[in-house]
Amino acid sequence: RVDAGGAAMEPECRVLSIQSHVVRGYVGNKAATFPLQVLGFEVDTVNSVQFSNHTGYAHWKGQVLNSDELHELYEGLKLNKVNRYDYVLTGYTRDTSFLAMVVDIVQELKQQNSNLVYVCDPVMGDKWNGEGSMYVPKDLLPVYRDKVVPVADIITPNQFEAELLTGRKIYTEKDALEVMDMLHAMGPETVVITSSDLQAPLGNDYLIALGSHRKTAADGTRITQRIRMESPKVDAVFVGTGDLFAAMLLAWTHKHPNNLKVACEKTVSAMQHVLQRTIKSAKVQAGEGNKPNPAQLELRMVQSKKDIENPEIIVKATVL
């Protein structure tokens, strides 16, 4: 394709993002849409909820989309024959029937376009002080494990979620690599464990993330690339970081399809730029000696446009 000036254009790349929406702030679709658009993607959003703000505030109000309503929106796209996507992106969901409907939609879209890539953040819970707990209903685990992960191409669990999905605990980096292999065997060819409580070689002020990309070469041999990243810990509770991470990983793996190292370096470096800008600004707003509140800790997304578009690499990945 060429544009009006005769220059070659990148072919249009379209993402269906099924996530929550907030009026104020940045989580779910609000955290994913802007970075994807800045990086050149067309984004079609289905808002799984519409809330005034994220639920970490003292108050929130709003509506929840049910699986029938999701199906109805999808039917509208289908009737107009505009249900062709290059990517599907999903994050936090609380409802099993909604999640099952997402799987149906992904499977149908994959029939429309066999190259469709489904990027799934299997949001189920996290660890606090070493103890893992789920913040979604327990009955979501079997749906993620048996239905969602098998149709996903890229997944971004944290350590606790990777353990839940495989039923195996991670104590060492070797355990983590084996867990990622188990996850590959379930379907996805790219697995990124976004955070872990593994000891970082650089020391306690760093957080370890691990990535693994498995592809089958032309001759049928399987090649696996594995990487480790260490990012400086930021002392604050941010909301929407996982959603931003998954969106940027989608974009950068698209732009560097066979180089998980570069895709992850750009994703994690951009994250760092956004988080550093956010914490600095939050501290200024909160004032000396005060703890920033959830409103002050909303991600500085628009202010980070240049870093999202062209991140200076400040976190390097180690190939394992």
Side-chain angles (χ1 to χ4, degrees), residues 178-238:
E178 287 169 13
V179 162
M180 290 196 292
D181 282 342
M182 291 168 76
L183 290 166
H184 283 311
M186 290 162 74
E189 62 175 42
T190 303
V191 177
V192 177
I193 297 180
T194 53
S195 63
S196 69
D197 45 24
L198 294 172
Q199 181 63 46
L202 286 173
N204 288 336
D205 295 336
Y206 288 81
L207 203 60
I208 280 201
L210 296 162
S212 178
H213 177 64
R214 173 180 287 184
K215 60 169 195 277
T216 307
D219 62 0
T221 53
R222 279 203 301 222
I223 308 158
T224 307
Q225 181 190 21
R226 295 197 182 97
I227 55 154
R228 177 201 317 124
M229 285 157 300
E230 299 174 73
S231 346
K233 283 182 183 166
V234 185
D235 185 28
V237 178
F238 298 103

Side-chain angles (χ1 to χ4, degrees), residues 88-103:
V88 174
L89 175 62
T90 63
Y92 180 76
T93 306
R94 286 195 65 83
D95 180 69
T96 50
S97 65
F98 191 89
L99 199 53
M101 179 60 69
V102 167
V103 173

Side-chain angles (χ1 to χ4, degrees), residues 31-94:
T33 306
F34 178 71
L36 283 168
Q37 288 173 330
V38 160
L39 289 165
F41 294 78
E42 285 287 352
V43 188
D44 293 1
T45 53
V46 172
N47 297 327
S48 54
V49 308
Q50 169 165 268
F51 284 172
S52 52
N53 46 266
H54 74 68
T55 57
Y57 285 72
H59 310 276
W60 72 90
K61 298 274 184 195
Q63 299 82 36
V64 178
L65 196 73
N66 66 36
S67 57
D68 291 340
E69 292 162 333
L70 168 62
H71 185 251
E72 191 180 348
L73 289 171
Y74 177 70
E75 281 299 302
L77 296 171
K78 203 162 113 180
L79 289 168
N80 289 311
K81 298 187 168 54
V82 288
N83 59 332
R84 193 181 187 290
Y85 289 95
D86 302 286
Y87 287 89
V88 174
L89 175 62
T90 63
Y92 180 76
T93 306
R94 286 195 65 83

